[in-house]
Structure formats: C-alpha cells, structure tokens
C-alpha cells in the first residue's frame, strides 16, 4: 500500500491531493497536512475589499476532502527529511512513499515590520481587511500609496487591481479629488513577466483613473512616525496617509531549515516534472522558484494548481509505473479592472522570450474568472 503525504492545503496541495486520490489504487493512502482548517481563493480577498463579495464565500473546509477519501491532518509541519520521505508534524511523524511539498510562502518578515506603524497595512493579509476598509472609509484627503516592497510577490497584477479598487471606493465617497493614489514598484515596468505591451496597458489604465505609477522605486525604509517611505538610490521620500504594502514572498521557515532550498534560496524543482531530488518528491507553487527568460514563473494560484496536477501524475508514474506528464509553462493571469471587467494575460511563460499576450478587458472574461473559482471549488470539494 502506497502512502503519499501532501504538505500544504492551498492551490498546489489540494490540486495534487485530489489528482492522487482519483488515480492512486484504492488501498493507497493520501494524507494532506495543513495548519489551517480552510482553503481560500486568493483573489477573493480583493473582491471583499471592493465590496463585491465577502472572503468567506470563496473558502472551503479542508476536512471536506475526507469525503473523497483524503485524510486531512490539521497540524504544523515541523520537519522534513526528503531523502527518507519522512515528515514531522505537531500531530506526530509520518513515513511516506512519496511527498508533495506545497507549503506556499510567507510574507517577508522585514517587510511586515515596515508595515507595523499607524496607517500602514499588509495588503495581502486577510486579517488586515477590516482595518483597511475602515481606513479607506475614513480618509477624506491626503495620499494612499500601494507599494510593492520587493519580489517575488504573489499575483503580479493584484497591487494594480487594488489601486483601482481604492480609486473606485474614493470616487463612490466623493473624496477622490482630495486623495492622491500612487502605486510604487521596484520593477522597471508594471508587469515585466507579461511584457512591455501588457505593462503599458496597465499603466494606461492607471493613468485613465488618475493613479500615479512610480516604477523603479525600491523601498528602503518606512518611517512610521512621519508616515513616510524612503526609496533606495536617490533617497526620494513619499509621505502617506494610508500605506497598503505588498511584502515580498519568503520561504516558509520549515523549508528553509530542511536543507532543500537551492542557490536561489527557494526550492528549485525540475521545471517540467516538478521533481525535487528524487522522483518520489515533488515541489509546486509559491515555495518554488522556476526561472524563466524574464525572471521567474509568477507566484500565482493558477500555476500552483496546474503544477500540482502534473506533479501528482509524475508521482503516480513513479509509484505505479506508466508515463508521467510535463508542465509546459502555459498559463494565465487575470487582471481585474473596475466594472466587473477582466483582462487576460495568457501564453507560454517558459518560452524565450515568454510568448504571452494580453486580451483587453471585458465582462466575458470576468465571468471566466468567476467560473475558474466555481469549477475548481466544485471539482476539489464537491
Ligand atoms: C490579494 C491576492 C490576490 C490573488 N489573486 C490571484 C489571482 O487572481 N490568480 C492567481 O492565480 N493567484 C492569485 N493570488 C495568488 C495565489 O493565492 C497564490 O499564488 C497561491 O495561493 C499559491 O498556492 P500554493 O499552493 O503554492 O500556496 P498556498 O495556497 O499559500 O498554500 C500553502 C499552504 O501551506 C500551509 N502551510 C505553510 N506552512 C505550513 C506549515 N509549516 N505547517 C502546516 N501548514 C503550512 C498554509 O497554511 C497554506 O494553506 C492572489 C493572492 C493574493 C494575496
């Protein structure tokens, strides 16, 4: 009897666990370990901020996976011995025949500290949502800054989506003319991973809404007393009344301690098979760094889920024989604009240069984004 232990119940882990359960022999065991009790869709957070829908509507209880034969253990993963396929957790140790590592990322601790002061929040922290909403409802003049603090960060379009939501909320309250909205990024353009045209598309939309984009602005420090950001290089400063920061992703501590990270400081699985070290260990999603011609594969749920499925197929081939699959770098990102319209950035992210095109925003693609969520939640959780 084969036992596969899946570490992490996010996009990558749930996609892998369900694929494994569907195809592993009935006497095989799939165990999924996560410290959280719920799965949540990342983009639901901005729908909540925009007032479209509460975040809870896109969440599912991980234990519901037990109904389809996956054993769910709510526990902290505290140690990983990949060579021995052994895992330590707060609920005890697990010996496995194969491992899926899908522990995602955590916010950079340094960047979180920069956001400790008054009027500053981690835009990506679901717990910060009520405070962000309250501050946006109270502001009557001054400046809101959405600031990308470093990379890699999750879902490259999301900070721009957030800035446009801020613009809409301020317009709805009739205070937009007295509140400046600025986005800062250390990158040379808005969406380098999607190319020059997509970046110009984003910049044009921000401009149309009166949102200022400051590219090549790397945050060096934040002074909480003066509510001021200091940028590297020429040390320009920018004051804020409300700062919505996007921290860089960092590797979860247990992975940093495991000795599994490569020279980049991230897990570096084979880009096609997702195998890490031996053929019975795979790593997918935000805990990995997969190099591309322009940097790295975006940290995004769509990619994590696609990788999880392919990685599961390769574990099944290693355990029971047969052909595996290859992840070919095809994928897409949604770029949501006001008025329930979504632009679509799609293509071959592994090509050199990436062969990625942007389809301008429309409502049909907004429905495609809704369908992505609905279909995946139904396929995974029933
Ligand atoms: C505001 C926002 C908007 C987004 N919009 C989109 C979008 O439109 N499209 C898109 O594709 N992506 C989007 N994303 C990104 C997407 O949510 C992530 O890229 C995706 O969740 C990564 O999947 P993952 O499986 O690698 O990690 P995760 O989904 O983060 O899952 C990792 C899991 O591991 C668990 N874990 C970690 N460490 C431990 C431990 N030591 N012990 C036990 N459990 C542990 C965590 O609890 C978590 O459940 C968005 C993200 C944000 C924040």
């Amino acid at each position: 009897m084969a036992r596969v232990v899946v570490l992490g119940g996010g996009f990558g882990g749930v996609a892998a666990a369900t694929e494994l359960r569907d195809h592993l022999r009935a006497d095989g065991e799939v165990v999924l370990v996560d410290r959280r009790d719920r799965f949540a869709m990342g983009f639901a957070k901005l729908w909540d901020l925009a007032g479209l829908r509460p975040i809870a509507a896109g969440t599912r209880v991980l234990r519901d996976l037990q109904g389809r034969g996956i054993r769910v253990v709510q526990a902290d993963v505290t140690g990983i011995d990949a060579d021995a396929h052994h895992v330590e957790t707060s609920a005890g140790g697990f010996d496995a025949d194969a491992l899926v590592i899908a522990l995602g990322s955590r916010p950079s601790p340094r960047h979180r500290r920069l956001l400790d002061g008054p009027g500053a929040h981690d835009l990506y922290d679901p717990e910060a949502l009520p405070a962000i909403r309250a501050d946006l409802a109270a502001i009557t003049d001054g400046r809101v800054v959405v600031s990308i603090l470093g990379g890699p960060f999750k879902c490259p379009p999301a900070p721009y989506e957030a800035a446009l939501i801020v613009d809409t909320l301020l317009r709805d309250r009739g205070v937009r003319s007295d509140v400046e909205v600025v986005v800062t990024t250390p990158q040379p353009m808005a969406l380098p991973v999607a190319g020059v045209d997509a970046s110009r598309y984003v910049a044009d939309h921000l401009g149309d809404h009166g949102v200022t984009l400051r590219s090549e602005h790397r945050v060096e420090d934040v002074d909480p007393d003066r509510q001021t950001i200091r940028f590297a290089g020429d040390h320009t400063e920018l004051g804020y009344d409300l700062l919505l920061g996007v921290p860089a992703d960092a590797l979860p501590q247990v992975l940093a301690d495991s000795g599994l990270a490569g020279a980049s400081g991230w897990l570096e699985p084979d880009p096609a098979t997702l195998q890490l070290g031996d053929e019975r260990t795979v790593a997918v999603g935000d805990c990995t760094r997969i190099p591309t011609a322009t940097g790295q594969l975006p940290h995004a749920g769509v990619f994590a889920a696609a990788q999880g499925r392919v990685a599961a197929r390769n574990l099944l081939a290693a355990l029971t024989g047969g052909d595996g699959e290859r992840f070919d770098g095809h994928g897409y990102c949604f770029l949501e604009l006001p008025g329930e319209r979504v632009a679509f950035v799609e293509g071959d992210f592994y090509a050199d240069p990436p062969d990625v095109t942007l389809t301008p925003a429309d409502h049909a693609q907004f429905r495609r984004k809704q369908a992505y969520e609905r279909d995946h939640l139904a396929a995974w959780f029933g």
Side-chain angles (χ1 to χ4, degrees), residues 327-344:
F327 180 64
D328 62 7
H330 277 82
Y332 51 88
C333 292
F334 303 109
L335 167 65
E336 190 162 335
L337 299 176
E340 300 193 347
R341 293 177 311 128
V342 164
F344 207 61

Side-chain angles (χ1 to χ4, degrees), residues 44-58:
K45 175 159 189 275
L46 293 187
W47 282 346
D48 192 322
L49 183 64
L52 280 178
R53 204 193 66 180
I55 200 165

Side-chain angles (χ1 to χ4, degrees), residues 66-158:
Q66 303 204 138
R68 57 187 296 169
I70 296 166
R71 180 177 163 200
V72 176
V73 177
Q74 190 180 354
D76 257 304
V77 178
T78 53
I80 302 168
D81 181 344
D83 290 338
H85 302 115
H86 178 83
V87 178
E88 281 300 326
T89 81
S90 54
F94 290 89
D95 286 316
D97 299 288
L99 283 181
V100 178
I101 303 176
L103 289 173
S105 62
R106 63 190 167 122
S108 147
R110 188 177 84 82
H111 290 165
R112 278 298 276 261
R113 280 195 297 279
L114 293 180
L115 300 171
D116 269 349
H121 304 282
D122 175 351
L123 174 67
Y124 279 11
D125 177 7
E127 312 266 305
L129 258 182
I132 294 175
R133 268 202 254 94
D135 282 357
L136 279 170
I139 192 166
T140 52
D141 55 15
R143 185 183 291 131
V144 179
V145 181
V146 176
S147 184
I148 298 166
L149 299 173
F153 61 95
K154 289 181 200 307
C155 189

Side-chain angles (χ1 to χ4, degrees), residues 46 49 123 146 157-167 181 244 336:
L46 293 187
L49 183 64
L123 174 67
V146 176
Y160 308 106
E161 297 176 333
L164 291 169
I165 291 169
V166 169
D167 168 71
V181 183
L244 305 178
E336 190 162 335

Side-chain angles (χ1 to χ4, degrees), residues 152-341:
F153 61 95
K154 289 181 200 307
C155 189
Y160 308 106
E161 297 176 333
L164 291 169
I165 291 169
V166 169
D167 168 71
T168 303
L169 294 175
L170 297 176
R171 278 179 205 278
D172 289 350
R173 286 186 46 236
V175 298
R176 179 64 174 93
S177 54
D178 294 318
V179 184
E180 194 187 349
V181 183
V182 179
V183 187
T184 76
T185 174
Q187 297 174 314
M189 60 184 103
L191 282 180
V193 68
V196 175
D197 291 344
S199 293
R200 193 172 303 121
Y201 182 85
V202 172
D204 287 349
H205 271 82
L206 294 173
D208 289 347
H209 289 261
V211 177
T212 308
L213 172 64
R214 294 199 184 184
S215 52
E216 294 186 312
H217 274 60
R218 191 167 64 74
V219 173
E220 193 166 75
D221 206 358
V222 174
D223 181 341
D225 299 325
R226 292 169 54 232
Q227 299 206 176
T228 298
I229 303 170
R230 194 171 71 246
F231 296 99
D234 59 6
H235 302 293
T236 326
E237 292 194 334
L238 184 67
Y240 60 84
D241 297 276
L242 178 57
L243 170 60
L244 305 178
V246 176
D249 286 346
L251 196 66
Q253 193 60 49
V254 66
L255 293 178
D257 295 343
S258 68
L260 289 169
S264 67
W266 292 87
L267 305 194
E268 298 170 353
D270 181 283
T273 63
L274 288 322
Q275 285 162 345
L276 183 77
D278 70 24
E279 58 176 10
R280 291 210 203 162
T281 303
V282 291
V284 299
D286 288 3
C287 58
T288 67
R289 182 180 193 282
I290 302 211
T292 64
T294 53
Q296 69 175 90
L297 198 68
H299 279 177
V302 169
F303 287 109
Q307 291 174 336
R309 205 191 64 79
V310 171
R313 287 283 177 166
N314 289 326
L315 284 188
L316 288 160
L319 289 167
T320 60
D323 293 332
E325 274 188 33
R326 297 177 75 75
F327 180 64
D328 62 7
H330 277 82
Y332 51 88
C333 292
F334 303 109
L335 167 65
E336 190 162 335
L337 299 176
E340 300 193 347
R341 293 177 311 128

